[in-house]
Amino acid sequence: DVKVTQSSRYLVKRTGEKVFLECVQDMDHENMFWYRQDPGLGLRLIYFSYDVKMKEKGDIPEGYSVSREKKERFSLILESASTNQTSMYLCASSRQNSNSGNTIYFGEGSWLTVV
Amino acid sequence: DAKTTQPPSMDCAEGRAANLPCNHSTISGNEYVYWYRQIHSQGPQYIIHGLKNNETNEMASLIITEDRKSSTLILPHATLRDTAVYYCIVRVVLDDKIIFGKGTRLHILP
């Protein structure tokens, strides 16, 4: 069974705190992604990575950073949490190239509340 | 990306087959049909994908019409845990720009 595991399912943090969201995949996938999902706004891409130590900004990178030191692990960092970062955060991974279509696998999500 | 059209909601009795339709009349020759579902408060879950042949896995079957303008996802014996929003996506490959439309909200009735 393919697996994308997010370390925390529910978190409550205070404004200004530094927050780490960890994600691990066991499928040896090259690509990893961090999204946030908010009602009415769908999935919005924060950052993605196509290889170790490589990162690219997505559509809404402000206030976030990422780290990919190992192929299987992709971390999302909120440098100084704010209330507008209250959301569900989704990690995902996929293979880089495929001749038979590809799939993106998502983690179960991390619900972050910033108070 | 080819546009997809799905009914906003459907009901299905527990234990019966759930047949979820998707129209994609502008699909191009190299675009795949992908199905995902999202159960409340959880991340999207991959179900199945196909190009032109029918596909089956442990979760579902995917029937694609010969002209590829529509497809049907079949959950053979629906259970209450299949209650979710089901999304049909048509793309060549899924990349960071994956977009989930409104999907079909499937209610499984006991």
Side-chain angles (χ1 to χ4, degrees):
Chain A
D1 245 6
V2 297
K3 201 86 170 146
V4 178
T5 304
Q6 294 183 229
S7 57
S8 304
R9 192 84 172 90
Y10 300 98
L11 307 95
V12 180
K13 297 292 181 181
R14 295 193 184 278
T15 300
E17 273 193 81
K18 192 168 186 174
V19 181
F20 293 86
L21 298 178
E22 307 284 348
C23 175
V24 177
Q25 50 96 2
D26 64 1
M27 296 164 281
D28 200 37
H29 283 168
E30 296 84 6
N31 304 333
M32 295 190 75
F33 313 92
W34 274 105
Y35 296 89
R36 60 179 284 180
Q37 187 175 32
D38 301 286
L41 296 176
L43 281 182
R44 291 184 291 167
L45 181 68
I46 304 171
Y47 267 96
F48 60 100
S49 170
Y50 289 149
D51 203 349
V52 176
K53 297 198 187 290
M54 180 269 176
K55 59 186 178 185
E56 293 285 342
K57 291 181 180 179
D59 300 317
I60 52 163
E62 296 77 21
Y64 303 94
S65 63
V66 290
S67 171
R68 190 151 181 216
E69 295 296 316
K70 294 185 177 181
K71 190 176 186 181
E72 68 270 18
R73 188 178 296 269
F74 193 35
S75 303
L76 179 70
I77 304 150
L78 285 67
E79 299 292 343
S80 176
S82 63
T83 54
N84 64 11
Q85 292 179 309
T86 292
S87 185
M88 181 166 80
Y89 289 86
L90 288 166
C91 176
S93 73
S94 72
R95 199 164 294 288
Q96 198 140 70
N97 295 304
S98 172
N99 293 326
S100 59
N102 72 324
T103 53
I104 289 183
Y105 295 94
F106 289 86
E108 289 229 324
S110 297
W111 286 91
L112 172 66
T113 301
V114 183
V115 297
Chain B
D1 301 338
K3 181 176 161 52
T4 62
T5 305
Q6 299 177 252
S9 68
M10 292 182 62
D11 292 339
C12 178
E14 192 177 14
R16 306 296 291 267
N19 298 291
L20 293 97
C22 181
N23 286 322
H24 32 79
S25 58
T26 60
I27 191 171
S28 60
N30 59 349
E31 286 183 310
Y32 287 79
V33 180
Y34 297 88
W35 282 86
Y36 279 77
R37 72 180 182 184
Q38 191 164 20
I39 295 168
H40 182 61
S41 299
Q42 296 184 22
Q45 179 185 24
Y46 165 77
I47 301 173
I48 199 167
H49 75 282
L51 185 63
K52 50 186 171 184
N53 298 323
N54 297 337
E55 301 288 343
T56 295
N57 63 20
E58 65 279 0
M59 286 184 69
S61 295
L62 174 60
I63 308 297
I64 303 173
T65 58
E66 199 166 330
D67 64 7
R68 302 211 321 126
K69 293 185 177 182
S70 66
S71 59
T72 301
L73 178 76
I74 301 172
L75 308 178
H77 305 286
T79 71
L80 295 176
R81 285 188 285 187
D82 292 320
T83 294
V85 180
Y86 287 76
Y87 299 98
C88 168
I89 303 164
V90 172
R91 296 201 68 175
V92 177
V93 289
L94 296 177
D95 59 16
D96 56 285
K97 299 297 183 193
I98 186 170
I99 295 172
F100 293 99
K102 294 195 184 320
T104 296
R105 187 171 295 276
L106 177 66
H107 301 275
I108 305 300
L109 307 174

